[in-house]
Amino acid sequence: MTHSSLDVVIIGAGVVGAACAYYASRSGLSVAVVDRGPVAGGTTGAGEGNLLVSDKEAGPELDLALLSTRLWRELAAVLPPETEYEPKGGLVVAPDETTLKALRTFTDAQRAAGVVATEVGPETLHDLEPHLSPNLAGGFHYPQDAQVHPAQAAARLLAASGATTYLNEEVTEILVHSGTVRGIRTPHRTLHAPAVVNAAGTWAGQIAALAGTTLPVLPRRGFVLVTEPLPRVVRHKVYAADYIADVASDSAALQSSAVVEGTPSGPVLIGATRERVGFDRSLSTEALRRLASQAAALFPVLADTRILRTYHGFRPYLPDHLPAIGPDPRVPGLLHACGHEGAGIGLAPATGALIAATLTDTEPALPLTPFRPHRFDQDDGEEGDGDGAGCRPGCKT
């Protein structure tokens, strides 16, 4: 079966692909979305639904997060309640004065970029979180942090886009003629379009290869614990400052720092671990043990709480911790929207809006230069935009 009336084909029905479809459709484009599995069947379905500005240092990713924060608020007003958008705010805590001092420096730079953050002394932490451990030096409250139900967010965005969707169809070929993308092919159909968006998450490198180019996306495995339903013992998204260093780390080894949050339905979600083990889906008891121990250290009330289940997935990791967003000059007609690591759910709306702006040749809300997909090429003529990491709060240098 062949279709030839499309403006763009998006590969990937996770939250990033759904956001690309939503904003492209709103821009007047005809859109098809193709995925080898179901909606949110990859990284999105294994996420916690974090919409964070608190863990991002001043720079391109924080700018992307702030844009997405605004767009998520707009989307929450039009998407169904099943999306479970909850502007609960975040609380980042420090175990000692040294870490608190580093957190102040980190937060000062964030504020200059537009983040709202308020320091909370140890004597008032419990006004925000009554069950929090008393052995903390202080922290910062981030009212802009929020949460959604990740799978529902992807499904509702995709439905609202009106895009034609082909699920359980693997893209086997990207059609390239005279060096330019012309569409895609699956075992069931051929879709012709002058633009193809690679929103395949952890598998984006494979899609890039189909088009004859490269993108160094690697998987980073992460686990989440889900407790039995509880009264609202955790009001915000709460984590220790060393989580910020774990997010930015290049280490392949197991890293864990508990991120604890309640949900509208009662269970408490406990993330997050990070390790580079390829696509190994085996259960790591060490990762689960660390998460449980760290969560109980933050919230002693959780020490005797039952864990009902655990799940895990793979975050799409790029070497400089920035996503690839925008056109690939090596293959005209190919665009990338991938490599967001653990922040894809939060950064999806901004990514979709930037892709739509590119597709319609309109001015994007943010410069695309830091996210250019070809920046890893040795002959890339522009200066690299790395993560600019110094020692973040909690980093171990």
Side-chain angles (χ1 to χ4, degrees):
M1 184 180 298
T2 301
H3 299 266
S4 58
S5 59
L6 296 167
D7 293 313
V8 58
V9 175
I10 296 167
I11 304 173
V15 70
V16 173
C20 289
Y22 179 83
Y23 287 102
S25 294
R26 286 191 64 193
S27 299
L29 303 179
S30 58
V31 183
V33 176
V34 183
D35 197 294
R36 67 181 182 180
V39 176
T43 300
T44 295
E48 294 175 78
N50 292 338
L51 315 180
L52 301 183
V53 299
S54 57
D55 64 338
K56 296 169 181 63
E57 68 173 335
E61 189 182 27
L62 180 57
D63 295 339
L64 198 64
L66 287 167
L67 174 58
S68 264
T69 295
R70 176 173 62 80
L71 294 176
W72 268 121
R73 285 197 297 265
E74 294 175 1
L75 289 169
V78 297
L79 293 178
E82 290 84 356
T83 305
E84 294 184 11
Y85 175 79
E86 189 178 6
K88 63 174 64 176
L91 183 63
V92 184
V93 296
D96 52 53
E97 285 297 331
T98 299
T99 305
L100 184 60
K101 183 178 179 180
L103 188 56
R104 286 192 189 105
T105 302
F106 182 79
T107 304
D108 284 345
Q110 289 180 311
R111 285 189 181 120
V115 172
V116 178
T118 304
E119 183 166 357
V120 183
E123 68 285 350
T124 54
L125 277 176
H126 289 82
D127 293 340
L128 293 174
E129 290 289 347
H131 298 284
L132 197 60
S133 168
N135 304 314
L136 296 166
F140 279 83
H141 176 229
Y142 289 84
Q144 292 161 303
D145 283 356
Q147 181 182 6
V148 292
H149 187 297
Q152 286 284 359
R156 304 299 172 172
L157 266 174
L158 192 53
S161 76
T164 303
T165 303
Y166 302 102
L167 302 178
N168 301 303
E169 291 192 27
E170 184 170 3
V171 173
T172 56
E173 184 180 353
I174 293 182
L175 307 177
V176 179
H177 180 67
S178 299
T180 301
V181 164
R182 299 299 187 191
I184 63 98
R185 182 171 288 129
T186 79
H188 303 289
R189 71 194 76 249
T190 298
L191 301 176
H192 291 294
V196 170
V197 177
N198 175 13
T202 312
W203 297 272
Q206 299 171 24
I207 297 300
L210 287 180
T213 189
T214 59
L215 198 63
V217 179
L218 295 172
R220 216 173 178 189
R221 187 175 70 183
F223 288 87
V224 177
L225 304 178
V226 184
T227 75
E228 62 186 312
L230 298 171
R232 202 62 184 260
V233 297
V234 183
R235 299 176 179 178
H236 303 79
K237 193 177 295 285
V238 183
Y239 60 88
D242 57 359
Y243 170 78
I244 298 170
D246 286 353
V247 169
S249 171
D250 293 319
S251 174
L254 173 64
Q255 296 173 302
S256 65
S257 181
V259 179
V260 185
E261 60 189 308
T263 63
S265 56
V268 172
L269 302 182
I270 302 168
T273 63
R274 281 172 164 76
E275 56 186 329
R276 294 214 306 269
V277 293
F279 287 99
D280 180 359
R281 291 188 176 275
S282 59
L283 191 69
S284 169
T285 55
E286 173 62 16
L288 304 184
R289 184 195 63 79
R290 286 197 199 179
L291 282 180
S293 175
Q294 291 167 344
L298 277 178
F299 288 91
V301 69
L302 297 177
D304 297 321
T305 300
R306 289 185 302 157
I307 301 297
L308 293 187
R309 65 184 181 95
T310 181
Y311 60 92
H312 61 284
F314 301 102
R315 302 178 180 92
Y317 164 85
L318 280 167
D320 61 359
H321 303 282
L322 291 176
I325 304 172
D328 191 328
R330 300 166 297 184
V331 188
L334 178 67
L335 297 88
H336 298 283
C338 54
H340 299 77
E341 202 170 334
I345 296 162
L347 301 179
T351 300
L354 293 176
I355 290 293
T358 302
L359 290 169
T360 56
D361 198 26
T362 56
E363 186 70 23
L366 293 173
L368 291 176
T369 300
F371 312 112
R372 61 192 185 279
H374 59 294
R375 65 187 184 270
F376 304 102
D377 290 355
Q378 290 185 350
D379 60 351
D380 178 13
E382 302 186 54
E383 275 196 43
D385 290 89
D387 60 7
C391 184
R392 294 166 174 77
C395 70
K396 304 167 181 70
T397 59

